[in-house]
Amino acid sequence: MKLTVNGETRDLDIEPDTPLLWAIREELELQGTKYGCGIGMCGACTVMIDGVATRSCVTPVDGLESAEITTIEAIETDPVGARVVEAWVKHEVAQCGYCQSGQVMATVAMLRENPRATAEDAAYAISNLCRCGTYNAIDAALADLTSKA
Amino acid sequence: MHDHARPTPDTPFPAARTSDLSRLAAAETARIEAAAGAPVKLSRRLFMGAAGLTLAVALAPRASRAQDAAGAAPGASLSAFLDIRPDGTVELRSPFVEGGQGIHTAMAQLVAEELDLDIAAMEVVTAPAGTDYQILGGMRMTGGSSSVRGGHMTMRRLGAAARSMLIDAAAEKLGVPAGELTTRPGEVAHEASGRALPYGELAGAASLGEVPADVTLKQDGFRYIGARVPRMDLRDKSTGKARYGIDSTVPDMLHAAVRHAPRRGMAPEAPANQAEVEAMRGVHSVHLLPDAVAVCAERWYLARRAVEALEISWTEGEAERPMPADFSSAAFRQALDAADGESAEAEAKGDALGALAGAGTVIEATYTAPMLVHGQLEPPSAIASFDADGGLELNMPNQAPEMFQAAAAAMTGLAPEKITVVSPGLGGFFGRHFPYADSNPWPQAVTLARATGRPVKVLWTREEEFLRDAMRPVGHAKFRAALDADGMPVALAADLVGEGPTGRWWGAPPGKDGSAVEGVTGKPYAIPNVRVGQRFVANPAAIGYWRSVGHSMHDYFYESFLDELALAGGKDPMALRRALLADNPRLIALLDAVETLSGGWRPGPYEMEGTTRARGLAMASPFGSEVATIAEVSLDAGQVRAHRIWVAIDPGSAVNPSTIEAQVRGAVALGLSQTLLEEVVYEGGEPLARNFDMYQILSRDMMPAVEVAIVESGAPMGGIGEPGLPGVGGAVANAAATLTGVRARATPLINVDFTSQG
């Protein structure tokens, strides 16, 4: 089947029920998207499908042939994505960093919908888990981003 | 497969066998400082202060470069640690593994400071296994909040020695006395002639020179030590470029997925549909392991699909520590409570038992805390690859390369030097990645690599991880205390019932196992009669180190009980602590700091933003640092919500304030998570939760605003990674008690009905 990831269409020999996460990680060898729980709880696997933040670990590739999939590897080509990355660096958000691809993807998707999203909005819109507890720094980065929106 | 990871008497880290791991770093700091001829109470104030004070540090035996490779003392071989490249960049091989705690940046700061190099020219990698890197009193680990306090002098000496050798090389090249030369970042300068040589051009000649026996460390004008240097990995970790164990590959490797026996000690029977599964897409082979089944495949997701398709029956097998079929966490808690064996003394002053026997007012309480998983977001993985000569390379998340090397040597019969350990960046660790026998995936990888003749990477699903994690043990403490006529505590006795990880893995006997009692021992309060003991009861589950270890629960027990004493004695919790610390200016200053940070001590209850709130206070003395914590809580639909948490931390002196603040905030998040939510429940010998759906961890909407004040008292340097955690439980539970009148003597608080008396 065909899969379009970060603007590039590839023909993959995979089963339709293959989770998108593993097509990305093992077939396309894009390893910035992470496996954390496999049941859509933690959000480490968050990618964008047609601009919508999606848990790729519980999303089968079936039906995605015409979708535009964006992963963390391409996030800086998006103007909002580039700003989010800069804010993440400036506010020293990452600790272990394992969840941060997902946090960045979820934040970019939210800000494209709502450029003035508050920390309160984000607490409801983004359920990505961070075991290092970087939530305060994420909120600081978000406040910085939305104050300029 | 069951005898591999337990250290034997021959393993090269005997110092840790009977002492708490966390104390080793402090001991090593003292040893280095003593060797340096400096006062043992070395402080940053000391070497930042008085002008003219010279701190000469012995750099191990005088050795030429050639000798340096062969048998230098740990931390003394420049070539093991530093590579100054022709382009002027410098590679530092860190003894400590980076897992978000900022240790690579801290090591770079310390080396760059003395080497006189722009930190942007430094690259830090984790060192391979080797005696050169066992700089914590002859051992090496990334844990016990020991890296900076145990490693800072070594790193500074290395930087200073390298700078000295570069100057010597420049002196020869320029034909001037070394005394006329100075350095600017990245180059040696001869001011008199206006000439300068970059480090990269001098490195070759410098490497042939003698490693100086003594070096002089900087005393003032610090550029990096104490500065808010941004962590070096921030951009890679914000753009998906950072690599972890789960991303590691080696050529020609197979991927393996496993299913563990639901109860430790069970063994798989041959699957009814093995042939069918072997024929599934991408599958290489199906393997029965002592307590698991494994499928090797060309892709991990195909291996996982296949292993889940296997029809397995589990039967009683053999295990070093089988889990009883009737084990339940609830029954185990009752057994701990009923245990009446000997209490081995861990700490005593005065005559607590005598004072209690004769006391008028005696307060008693029992506190308990459950087992926890680590819940690091990166699931464990390991790659085992044998080379043609029989050498083994293990590539896996780990906090202690030489310990894994020794364990792998014990399992395989290979000499340790035939085993290479590659230590990738960690996607969280919190104590998860020490050698815990069959709680680590590498033995499976070794077995499968041998069986298939190919390198094998094992990756555990979250579900398999929750079945095999080495958990934070159950904590259970029985307190008794006596109050005098003025309501002041005059005697306190406590028995900690259960088993600690240092006893389990290092053989520390009851009474000597700090991990089983710390946080009830080591409290600073001036109570004249104290006795703390451990009543050992073996825990059938796999137990391990969890961020802040015993402190993660024991300080919550103690600080809650202290608030109970305050209430019984008619004292304010802050006033009682101040009275008990009247002779301890360092801790009075810390209480002042947290009080100021929080806008003044205000226990409440009070109204704010439409909620009724109260505050609680707790202190802790973990890992060489001192901490005072205040939490502000309200009730939200019957559950405790923390709004703000203030932490004053005194680590003696600070290398990177930004990192300290980040670590404290993160430790508060984990401390709050376990206080409010987390609990591993066993029934019928099996854990009920197999993933984050049934095992809730702190989410963004539950995160309080955390404010941090760093107090630099100049005391010997303490740890940073863990100390922010232990104060949280007590502060939150004390606040909840003030708010509701309900005293929570067990975590998680989600199980407590706070509306019953409120």
Side-chain angles (χ1 to χ4, degrees):
Chain A
M1 67 172 292
K2 288 192 192 327
L3 216 51
T4 303
V5 176
N6 301 334
E8 193 185 330
T9 303
R10 291 266 301 272
D11 213 346
L12 301 178
D13 181 17
I14 52 177
E15 306 286 338
D17 66 348
T18 302
L20 175 60
L21 170 65
W22 296 101
I24 290 169
R25 283 186 58 84
E26 294 203 286
E27 301 295 339
L28 300 175
E29 299 182 344
L30 296 171
Q31 293 188 303
T33 307
K34 299 306 186 197
Y35 166 69
C37 68
I39 58 168
M41 286 292 299
C42 77
C45 65
T46 305
V47 300
M48 278 190 266
I49 299 179
D50 295 328
V52 178
T54 305
R55 305 285 213 253
S56 64
C57 73
V58 288
T59 305
V61 294
D62 195 18
L64 296 178
E65 279 196 294
S66 59
E68 291 283 344
I69 296 157
T70 309
T71 70
I72 188 71
E73 283 82 2
I75 202 62
E76 286 177 289
T77 63
D78 176 284
V80 178
R83 287 180 56 227
V84 170
V85 167
E86 289 312 312
W88 246 241
V89 173
K90 176 183 165 190
H91 290 275
E92 302 183 35
V93 169
Q95 289 191 25
C96 90
Y98 196 77
C99 75
Q100 297 297 345
S101 293
Q103 303 281 4
V104 167
M105 297 305 288
T107 303
V108 172
M110 179 183 71
L111 289 177
R112 284 160 91 180
E113 285 283 310
N114 177 9
R116 294 180 181 278
T118 63
E120 213 164 53
D121 295 332
Y124 291 100
I126 299 178
S127 56
N128 294 45
L129 298 173
C130 174
R131 192 60 161 166
C132 298
T134 65
Y135 301 123
N136 278 180
I138 289 175
D139 282 345
L142 180 67
D144 201 357
L145 285 162
T146 53
S147 71
K148 294 179 215 145
Chain B
M1 263 194 59
H2 295 284
D3 59 351
H4 40 262
R6 181 111 194 179
T8 68
D10 302 322
T11 51
F13 35 92
R17 295 186 66 77
T18 54
S19 63
D20 192 336
L21 294 179
S22 69
R23 298 212 177 94
L24 287 171
E28 172 61 3
T29 305
R31 191 189 68 75
I32 293 168
E33 287 162 359
V40 170
K41 286 213 164 205
L42 185 69
S43 71
R44 189 165 141 237
R45 189 174 286 168
L46 175 64
F47 44 89
M48 291 182 75
L53 175 67
T54 299
L55 186 68
V57 180
L59 196 85
R62 185 177 292 272
S64 75
R65 196 64 166 175
Q67 290 166 322
D68 156 326
S77 165
L78 270 176
S79 60
F81 287 89
L82 287 176
D83 187 4
I84 302 174
R85 301 162 175 150
D87 65 359
T89 61
V90 174
E91 181 178 281
L92 167 63
R93 288 176 280 279
S94 165
F96 307 109
V97 186
E98 180 59 60
Q101 79 281 41
I103 196 59
H104 280 186
T105 305
M107 295 294 113
Q109 285 177 256
L110 293 157
V111 171
E113 183 75 64
E114 297 291 345
L115 181 54
D116 199 1
L117 184 77
D118 194 316
I119 200 165
M122 292 202 66
E123 289 171 33
V124 186
V125 299
T126 299
T131 53
D132 281 321
Y133 308 107
Q134 296 180 307
I135 65 170
L136 299 178
M139 71 172 290
R140 173 188 183 189
M141 63 165 179
T142 305
S145 299
S146 60
S147 301
V148 173
R149 59 182 165 138
H152 72 291
M153 293 301 283
T154 300
M155 292 301 122
R156 293 185 63 190
R157 287 184 297 153
L158 290 165
R163 176 176 175 272
S164 165
M165 293 167 75
L166 290 162
I167 288 176
D168 287 347
E172 185 143 344
K173 217 161 190 171
L174 297 173
V176 298
E180 290 181 13
L181 295 171
T182 183
T183 57
R184 299 192 289 248
E187 60 184 26
V188 181
H190 187 240
E191 303 288 354
S193 64
R195 289 178 293 173
L197 289 170
Y199 287 173
E201 284 180 26
L202 294 167
S207 70
L208 302 173
E210 270 199 357
V211 178
D214 299 297
V215 290
T216 302
L217 301 182
K218 285 174 78 169
Q219 298 145 49
D220 49 32
F222 288 100
R223 181 181 180 194
Y224 293 125
I225 294 176
R228 291 181 176 274
V229 177
R231 293 194 305 282
M232 300 164 87
D233 48 6
L234 288 167
R235 187 164 295 276
D236 280 355
K237 287 179 173 177
S238 306
T239 53
K241 293 189 184 75
R243 288 290 168 263
Y244 304 83
I246 196 171
D247 306 315
S248 298
T249 57
V250 300
D252 195 38
M253 75 180 189
L254 286 165
H255 295 266
V258 303
R259 262 167 68 200
H260 289 128
R263 177 161 56 77
R264 201 184 224 104
M266 301 192 88
E269 291 182 332
N273 62 342
Q274 180 161 342
E276 228 170 280
V277 169
E278 280 170 342
M280 284 174 72
R281 179 178 182 154
V283 170
H284 176 278
S285 47
V286 173
H287 304 263
L288 299 191
L289 304 175
D291 69 338
V293 289
V295 171
C296 292
E298 301 300 331
R299 297 281 190 274
W300 184 79
Y301 73 90
L302 296 175
R304 183 187 181 186
R305 183 202 305 241
V307 83
E308 290 184 351
L310 282 171
E311 292 165 12
I312 307 291
S313 299
W314 301 96
T315 182
E316 294 300 326
E318 285 179 23
E320 191 181 331
R321 291 179 176 277
M323 176 61 94
D326 61 352
F327 179 80
S328 81
S329 38
F332 186 60
R333 184 175 293 187
Q334 289 171 2
L336 292 176
D337 204 55
D340 58 1
E342 185 205 349
S343 163
E345 186 172 289
E347 183 180 283
K349 63 177 171 176
D351 176 14
L353 301 184
L356 279 161
T361 308
V362 174
I363 316 290
E364 296 188 35
T366 298
Y367 281 82
T368 188
M371 290 191 280
L372 306 174
V373 294
H374 290 88
Q376 80 294 342
L377 273 197
E378 183 195 9
S381 63
I383 303 174
S385 38
F386 288 94
D387 64 28
D389 303 326
L392 170 65
E393 181 182 282
L394 289 172
N395 183 329
M396 65 204 162
N398 76 86
Q399 297 177 236
E402 293 77 16
M403 293 185 198
F404 282 85
Q405 186 185 48
M411 177 190 178
T412 60
L414 292 170
E417 58 270 19
K418 296 283 280 181
I419 299 168
T420 304
V421 178
V422 179
S423 307
L426 302 172
F429 55 116
F430 319 118
R432 175 65 186 93
H433 297 304
F434 286 112
Y436 298 127
D438 59 358
S439 289
N440 304 105
W442 67 265
Q444 296 173 345
V446 168
T447 300
L448 295 171
R450 278 181 165 160
T452 59
R454 283 173 67 178
V456 173
K457 177 179 185 176
V458 174
L459 169 64
W460 287 357
T461 61
R462 181 62 54 186
E463 289 80 4
E464 300 313 313
E465 161 69 344
F466 270 39
L467 268 183
R468 282 295 177 275
D469 191 4
M471 292 171 292
R472 202 274 301 272
V474 181
H476 198 83
K478 294 183 165 186
F479 288 96
R480 287 190 298 151
L483 303 182
D484 67 12
D486 298 325
M488 289 298 288
V490 291
L492 185 148
D495 286 324
L496 284 295
V497 190
E499 181 181 6
T502 303
R504 169 74 59 96
W505 296 107
W506 301 93
K512 306 278 186 206
D513 178 0
S515 69
V517 294
E518 62 193 5
V520 173
T521 57
K523 299 301 282 190
Y525 303 112
I527 297 173
N529 302 290
V530 173
R531 186 195 188 272
V532 181
Q534 182 190 355
R535 180 172 296 139
F536 180 85
V537 176
N539 186 334
I543 59 171
Y545 295 91
W546 194 92
R547 194 173 189 176
S548 80
V549 194
H551 288 284
S552 69
M553 45 193 168
H554 301 150
D555 281 290
Y556 147 68
F557 298 167
Y558 188 105
E559 294 287 318
S560 296
F561 186 62
L562 191 59
D563 261 36
E564 291 200 61
L565 301 185
L567 187 66
K571 312 281 186 199
D572 169 79
M574 175 70 82
L576 176 65
R577 285 173 177 80
R578 285 182 176 277
L580 292 172
L581 296 169
D583 295 330
N584 191 328
R586 183 183 183 191
L587 294 185
I588 292 294
L590 199 65
L591 285 171
D592 290 345
V594 77
E595 205 174 316
T596 302
L597 186 69
S598 62
W601 172 238
R602 185 189 184 192
Y606 53 89
E607 300 298 316
M608 190 170 174
E609 294 173 12
T611 57
T612 307
R613 301 184 183 185
R615 295 186 189 182
L617 168 67
M619 303 187 76
S621 307
F623 306 94
S625 291
E626 297 288 346
V627 181
T629 305
I630 292 176
E632 177 188 61
V633 308
S634 69
L635 276 196
D636 182 356
Q639 295 298 326
V640 171
R641 167 172 285 274
H643 296 273
R644 291 180 288 181
I645 293 183
W646 299 272
V647 181
I649 181 166
D650 175 5
S653 58
V655 170
N656 190 328
S658 298
T659 301
I660 293 174
E661 289 167 3
Q663 284 301 292
V664 170
R665 288 199 176 92
V668 166
L670 193 58
L672 185 63
S673 188
Q674 65 134 343
T675 299
L676 297 182
L677 304 169
E678 296 182 35
E679 176 180 28
V680 171
V681 177
Y682 268 79
E683 285 178 14
E686 300 180 17
L688 296 190
R690 299 283 301 274
N691 209 319
F692 292 120
D693 52 351
M694 296 280 285
Y695 186 94
Q696 199 185 355
I697 66 174
L698 195 81
S699 55
R700 185 168 177 169
D701 58 314
M702 299 177 198
M703 181 72 189
V706 181
E707 291 184 46
V708 183
I710 301 169
V711 177
E712 293 187 76
S713 64
M717 193 185 285
I720 286 301
E722 295 163 282
L725 196 149
V728 176
V732 168
N734 287 338
T738 296
L739 182 69
T740 65
V742 176
R743 171 55 59 186
R745 296 194 185 88
T747 55
L749 301 189
I750 197 170
N751 294 338
V752 178
D753 180 3
F754 284 99
T755 60
S756 62
Q757 296 172 33

